[in-house]
Amino acid sequence: MQASTPAAVPQHVAIIMDGNRRWASQRGLPRAVGHASGARRVRQIVEACSARGVSHLTLFAFSTENWQRPADEVTSLMGLLVHYLQKEISNMHTTGVRLKIVGDLSRFDQRLQNLMASGQALTAHNSKITLTIAANYGGRWDMMQAVKTWQAANPVLSVASMDEAALRPHLSMAYAPDPDLLIRTGGESRISNFLLWQMAYTELFFTDKLWPDFSAAVLDEALQWYSARDRRFGASSALAAR
Ligand code: IPE
Ligand code: IPE
Ligand code: MG
């Protein structure tokens, strides 16, 4: 019999939405068209996760390393973020989505920062699903900012008081459980500086599908795969313990 956990639906799904440029180049289209097509996938995936009972969905939209891309590409990605938020925030609100944005937002222009703040404020009390967008986010940045804010809040921090539980509230996703399932599209099997601390025990699902081709059917494939995982967390198998 195949090992399977009874808790079949992951509470928290995180996605590295990768492959937009390859999708465009396969079609002889500009990179910006690939990114725009990718952005159009998001609404359906949020809705599908919500309908399946996932309570937290976290999407990697822009990494701390993505600033190294050509200036015109960075500009088009920023424009898309603005466009996506302008277009989706009211729909999020009516469908019970709570929007959160994590990352070093100080590098974004004021208009984008205002939009992010107003979207989060508007949807703050929604409870169907929490959608977190990671923008100018890096796992290493997150750990560093957590250490800094922890230290600032406790200037005389002693080594003896340092433990994982005390650091955790300062991480930028302290409001969410750790991801149960990570999906990375685009064929690469790496984490690319996403949620490093939080993914210690996350199940990792890699698919060759490029993000603009991602669909609810591929999401279901990942959820199906997840439901058959035996999550041991370093202990004994749930089945062996029976
Ligand atoms: C993901 O697609 C979007 C971002 C990283 C912003 P890519 O732009 O990385 O596309 P590929 O992986 O080069 O095809
Ligand atoms: C990861 O994709 C970042 C996002 C999807 C936002 P990248 O395309 O930047 O990652 P690498 O360069 O392939 O590792
Ligand atoms: Mg990529």
Side-chain angles (χ1 to χ4, degrees), residues 67-225:
W67 296 105
Q68 298 169 62
R69 295 192 177 193
D72 67 314
E73 184 179 357
V74 170
T75 305
S76 77
L77 283 165
M78 292 302 133
L80 263 177
L81 251 176
V82 170
H83 178 73
Y84 172 77
L85 292 173
Q86 281 174 336
K87 194 159 79 68
E88 295 296 329
I89 284 170
S90 79
N91 179 56
M92 283 179 200
H93 191 42
T94 52
T95 54
V97 176
R98 174 172 71 142
L99 174 67
K100 300 284 261 181
I101 311 215
V102 293
D104 179 3
L105 309 187
S106 66
R107 197 156 165 194
F108 295 130
D109 74 30
Q110 200 53 51
R111 184 175 63 132
L112 183 49
Q113 289 188 46
N114 293 347
L115 200 52
M116 288 170 161
S118 64
Q120 292 180 94
L122 177 72
T123 62
H125 302 294
N126 294 339
S127 56
K128 182 86 178 77
I129 187 169
T130 298
L131 168 65
T132 300
I133 296 181
N136 195 20
Y137 180 87
R140 290 177 177 174
W141 166 83
D142 198 0
M143 287 188 213
M144 281 313 302
Q145 71 75 29
V147 169
K148 288 177 193 169
T149 57
W150 187 22
Q151 206 278 334
N154 305 276
V156 287
L157 201 60
S158 68
V159 170
S161 69
M162 292 180 180
D163 61 23
E164 293 175 14
L167 178 67
R168 189 171 272 275
H170 300 285
L171 289 164
S172 56
M173 292 203 64
Y175 55 86
D178 287 345
D180 300 295
L181 170 66
L182 170 82
I183 299 171
R184 181 173 184 143
T185 63
E188 307 293 358
S189 308
R190 57 181 172 244
I191 302 302
S192 298
N193 199 15
F194 197 20
L195 300 155
L196 299 180
W197 175 285
Q198 298 86 342
M199 296 212 302
Y201 272 100
T202 299
E203 302 292 333
L204 309 176
F205 183 89
F206 299 103
T207 169
D208 288 337
K209 276 267 183 238
L210 303 175
W211 175 251
D213 290 330
F214 193 74
S215 61
V218 190
L219 173 71
D220 285 337
E221 205 185 296
L223 295 179
Q224 187 62 39
W225 175 86

Side-chain angles (χ1 to χ4, degrees), residues 15-19 21-22 60-63 65-66 69 134 184 188 190-192:
I15 306 184
I16 300 178
M17 309 181 289
D18 197 28
R21 296 183 299 187
R22 279 166 285 161
F60 203 6
F62 192 88
S63 76
E65 289 73 35
N66 288 148
R69 295 192 177 193
R184 181 173 184 143
E188 307 293 358
R190 57 181 172 244
I191 302 302
S192 298

